[in-house]
Amino acid sequence: MQTSSKYIRWFNEITIDDIPLVGGKNASLGEMIRGLAPQGIKIPNGFAITAEAYHLVLDQKGLTQGNIRDELHVALDGLNPDDVTDLAQRASRARKIIVDTPLPEDLKKEILQAFHQLQAEYGTEMSVAVRSSATAEDLPTASFAGQQETYLNIIGDEQLLESCRRCFASLFTDRAIHYRIDQGFDHFKIGLSVGIMKMVRSDLASSGVMFTLDTETGFRDVVYITGAYGLGENVVQGTLEPDEFYVHKPTFAQGHRAVLRRHCGSKNIKMIYSADDSKGTTHNITVPDADRRRYCISDDEVLKLADDAIKIEKYYSAKAGFDSPMDIEWAKDGIDGELYIVQARPETVASQQHKQILEQYRLREEGKILARGNAIGTKIASGRARYIHDVSHLHEFQPGEVLVADITTPDWEPVMKIAAAIVTNRGGRTCHAAIIARELGIPAVVGCNNASDNITNDENITISCAEGAQGRVYEGKLAFDIECTDLSDLEKPDTKIMVNLGNPELAFTTSFLPNDGVGLARLEFIITQSIKAHPMALLHPEKISDTAQRQAVESLFAGFNNGADYFVQKLSESVATIAAAFWPKPVIVRLSDFKTNEYAKLLGGEDFEPIEANPMLGLRGAARYTHPDYAESFALECQAMKRVRNTMGLSNVKLMIPFCRRVDEGRKVLEAMAGYGLTQGENDLEIYIMCEIPNNVIQIDAFAELFDGFSIGSNDLTQLVLGVDRDSEAIAFDFDECDPGVKIMIQMVVEGAKRNNKHSGICGQAPSDHPEMVEFLVDLGIDSMSLTPDSVLKTTQSVLLAEKNKSK
């Protein structure tokens, strides 16, 4: 039977209110065992050595003068935390004072008694994790995570006692001392508790970190899960690229069980126990190629973790009385196959961001790209590069420089706080460099592989995290703009303001713009950037004549049953990411509108595309969907959209048919879609048509009998009304969306839509490029305007002004 003593508290005796006694980490474990274990969440059992025990150690007689506390004052008083050398020397002296001091006999007795009780529960072969838990950690506005030490796979009495002493001493690591000074905490008013818990054997399986929001943007409607093989230190420290998964919380709550989006990380190493080492240390081994190409956990396990994360967030939010996004560590036991939660704390960076002020960073010029990696944050910064090989060179770093490193650890934090930006060779989105960059509010590009090779010391570079999930390091100082908008004062016009978006990586960020949904989500960007191959090439790789291209296509869907499954999963998850970002607002997805010359540029495309003299007016849009040479590919698009709406639950997706020349062609496409499971009206499915061909306008009443709405593609409509090839530089001066003939056509569309009680919108560039067009459209009473993200705010203000003028 578990019994507590003067300096021991079992987890089931602890609540979140006990932070002053056992620290944030242990208090959270106790709270979860009491409140969340009954909900089916597995937490390893264990006990906490209280902060009173830590103070007992400090009250012991010192080796030279007074007690240990007095000796620590001598070591630390007058410290300049920005003097890296002095900090390291003083911190080392402080730790040695504690490590060299034996634990009091009564404390040792209580620790070993509790340890033996835990062995009785799990077996004498059990190993434990010994984790530090500071009494000021995991506060809503400051995270002390990673500041103190953790010791894994501890076996036997002597190892345990030594680990406890080292945990007490780790309150005085360089990074912990520096962080406390930055946060305004007194070294001697903070205590340290030690948590001792049954070790989850993730060395035989996998582990990772998850958050109940998107860490880069603060988007709240997802659970973001990372994982890799082996013990979790590699993921926490960011020494590898982990697998990544997103789950959409609102549709999950409705009963839809699907991974929203995933990325297979390289996972090149895994941390395991050093079996022959009497100290219980760990080491990394290489992961076989076959395992690297597989995800470290199954979809069912991803969804179980998401379920746990959502329950944890709800529980802690209820306790706090406000929404409390969480930062959670998980581990899979390779012996029993179960998933365990080993730590949970409030997320303290993205959740604290002030969302009423919108900051948008944009490069004003292009430059040579020196390195690419994971973008951390959405900002841009420039500075002189400074490559730091290891901690012994930290003193070389100057304020305002860009820190370039292989990888960072908590010991680097004193210089990270004075850096303009951070670039690392290794690391994923939850690595140390990423966590600190977010906390400091500076951009970082991590996991570049070759940054230190390609970037020269002392050269000026620009770090851009404003171009999607991929961060870029440019040569030289590039000019950029920062636009700040106070969204709290922005009025909402009667005309719906929607956004044009094709890049899923920008979806979460773009969703914070004032908007009424997505008026145009193009599939072409997704197919080009994410899928990369021609859909017919994926279906029939044996028909690709070029051997190298055939091998490249086949390598894309390695790990999938076939090329079709690859296409459907990639396309559906990309579209679903956009739909989730704007949920429950409408997201109008335009089905593919590649021209033959564009399709031919995809991998394997040349073997499936005819050569046309004028691709702009050739086999494109709706004409392809029922064409015998392309129908199989269209079926894949429909499968993907059906998966998005039905399986993934994102029924806010509406579909739109581009370049539909004739009414009968539209009818055939709708019949084909119904045959693939996309029946208009079922599950509230609406299907729009792009209004971009004069015949769409002339026969608008007939098209209105088939479709639920019209979206004016002003670019193609202008081209076809004026007979101007918009790709021709020679006659670019004749391309004018404000031409009276074009405006008459637009007027006919809006009036025809109203006459038939159908939606009317515009998704071309005209409103963004021509302020006079905004007033014209508002006067017509168009229902919506869909704009590129960079023009949403400016055009919204123009719409508001036009509506006020109209009402006068």
Side-chain angles (χ1 to χ4, degrees), residues 605-624:
E606 290 183 354
D607 289 293
F608 298 94
E609 293 297 327
I611 297 175
E612 296 183 305
N614 189 355
M616 186 73 77
L617 297 179
L619 185 61
R620 61 175 289 199
R624 298 185 73 98

Side-chain angles (χ1 to χ4, degrees), residues 497-514:
I497 301 297
M498 308 177 84
V499 294
N500 297 339
L501 186 64
N503 185 351
E505 295 176 355
L506 297 175
F508 294 159
T509 299
T510 306
S511 71
F512 290 112
L513 287 168

Side-chain angles (χ1 to χ4, degrees), residues 151-355:
Y151 299 93
L152 304 175
N153 195 35
I154 301 304
I155 302 171
D157 294 0
E158 289 307 314
Q159 275 193 47
L160 176 63
L161 294 175
E162 181 182 350
S163 298
C164 290
R165 285 201 312 276
R166 292 190 177 279
C167 276
F168 286 143
S170 74
L171 194 60
F172 296 96
T173 59
D174 303 15
R175 58 189 180 267
I177 293 170
H178 196 286
Y179 191 83
R180 284 196 296 273
I181 293 173
D182 283 348
Q183 296 292 327
F185 288 91
D186 188 323
H187 300 306
F188 298 96
K189 290 184 179 179
I190 291 175
L192 190 120
S193 169
V194 177
I196 297 169
M197 63 193 298
K198 185 257 182 189
M199 192 75 218
V200 178
R201 292 302 303 272
S202 59
D203 61 307
L204 304 174
S206 52
S207 57
V209 180
M210 57 184 176
F211 299 84
T212 58
L213 46 56
D214 176 51
T215 54
E216 300 316 311
T217 64
F219 181 71
R220 296 286 187 94
D221 280 353
V222 289
V223 177
Y224 171 50
I225 301 168
T226 66
Y229 299 116
L231 300 170
E233 298 307 298
N234 281 330
V235 177
V236 173
Q237 295 173 4
T239 53
L240 50 69
E241 182 193 20
D243 292 337
E244 298 179 341
F245 309 88
Y246 286 93
V247 175
H248 187 228
K249 289 190 281 190
T251 48
F252 188 91
Q254 293 177 351
H256 296 279
R257 296 294 182 264
V259 176
L260 178 68
R261 194 178 184 192
R262 75 194 77 210
H263 168 72
C264 190
S266 59
K267 307 183 297 295
N268 57 316
I269 56 173
K270 73 172 177 179
M271 184 176 287
I272 62 172
Y273 298 138
S274 302
D276 299 330
D277 193 300
S278 62
K279 297 291 186 181
T281 56
T282 60
H283 69 280
N284 282 312
I285 61 173
T286 301
V287 176
D289 287 343
D291 289 339
R292 294 186 201 184
R293 291 192 293 267
R294 290 198 302 264
Y295 290 100
C296 65
I297 49 176
S298 68
D299 278 14
D300 286 343
E301 289 169 332
V302 171
L303 297 171
K304 173 64 171 70
L305 287 172
D307 189 46
D308 286 354
I310 292 168
K311 288 175 179 175
I312 291 169
E313 181 182 52
K314 285 183 177 178
Y315 183 84
Y316 277 85
S317 295
K319 293 285 292 186
F322 52 82
D323 287 344
S324 179
M326 300 297 291
D327 173 352
I328 304 162
E329 293 182 25
W330 63 270
K332 179 180 177 180
D333 195 305
I335 297 174
D336 64 22
E338 297 286 351
L339 292 166
Y340 290 86
I341 302 301
V342 296
Q343 190 172 325
R345 55 179 172 260
E347 195 280 337
T348 59
V349 180
S351 57
Q352 302 298 316
Q353 293 171 358
H354 184 48
K355 294 302 180 187

Side-chain angles (χ1 to χ4, degrees), residues 99-143:
V99 170
D100 288 348
T101 302
L103 295 175
E105 286 300 320
D106 54 344
L107 176 58
K108 285 170 56 177
K109 181 179 177 181
E110 289 190 9
I111 292 172
L112 293 179
Q113 184 180 21
F115 178 53
H116 297 156
Q117 288 185 41
L118 195 62
Q119 285 181 317
E121 179 179 347
Y122 287 113
T124 55
E125 299 301 314
M126 171 204 71
S127 63
V128 293
V130 182
R131 297 177 178 270
S132 307
S133 180
T135 57
E137 74 178 349
D138 300 339
L139 302 176
T141 56
S143 173

Side-chain angles (χ1 to χ4, degrees), residues 443-606:
V445 181
V446 301
C448 297
N449 295 320
N450 58 356
S452 58
D453 294 332
N454 295 349
I455 299 171
T456 304
N457 248 350
D458 286 323
E459 75 169 318
N460 285 318
I461 57 175
T462 298
I463 289 75
S464 173
C465 296
E467 301 168 77
Q470 184 187 79
R472 297 170 182 173
V473 181
Y474 292 95
E475 184 179 68
K477 281 192 174 184
L478 303 184
F480 61 91
D481 294 320
I482 309 172
E483 183 179 347
C484 296
T485 305
D486 187 348
L487 301 180
S488 61
D489 295 331
L490 192 66
E491 291 183 60
K492 187 176 176 63
D494 294 329
T495 307
K496 302 293 185 186
I497 301 297
M498 308 177 84
V499 294
N500 297 339
L501 186 64
N503 185 351
E505 295 176 355
L506 297 175
F508 294 159
T509 299
T510 306
S511 71
F512 290 112
L513 287 168
N515 71 85
D516 294 295
V518 177
L520 176 63
R522 302 179 180 92
L523 296 192
E524 294 81 37
F525 181 92
I526 297 168
I527 293 172
T528 302
Q529 299 295 319
S530 181
I531 295 173
K532 301 181 187 302
H534 193 289
M536 291 299 291
L538 291 166
L539 285 166
H540 299 288
E542 73 282 357
K543 295 183 179 180
I544 302 174
S545 56
D546 183 274
T547 302
Q549 288 222 8
R550 183 171 67 252
Q551 291 174 346
V553 169
E554 290 175 340
S555 69
L556 288 174
F557 60 83
F560 290 81
N561 291 327
N562 49 51
D565 286 355
Y566 165 80
F567 182 94
V568 170
Q569 180 176 299
K570 286 283 189 179
L571 185 60
S572 61
E573 291 184 1
S574 295
V575 170
T577 299
I578 297 173
F582 292 86
W583 174 269
K585 299 172 185 175
V587 172
I588 302 171
V589 176
R590 188 183 73 185
L591 299 176
S592 63
D593 190 24
F594 279 116
K595 305 168 193 69
T596 52
N597 60 326
E598 295 168 337
Y599 253 135
K601 293 176 183 177
L602 296 174
L603 277 175
E606 290 183 354

Side-chain angles (χ1 to χ4, degrees), residues 7 26 94 233 240 264 281 319 423 538 602 646 674 744 749 751 755-756 766:
Y7 300 113
N26 289 332
E233 298 307 298
L240 50 69
C264 190
T281 56
K319 293 285 292 186
V423 180
L538 291 166
L602 296 174
N646 297 353
I744 289 171
V749 175
E751 291 174 350
R755 185 167 62 248
N756 289 280

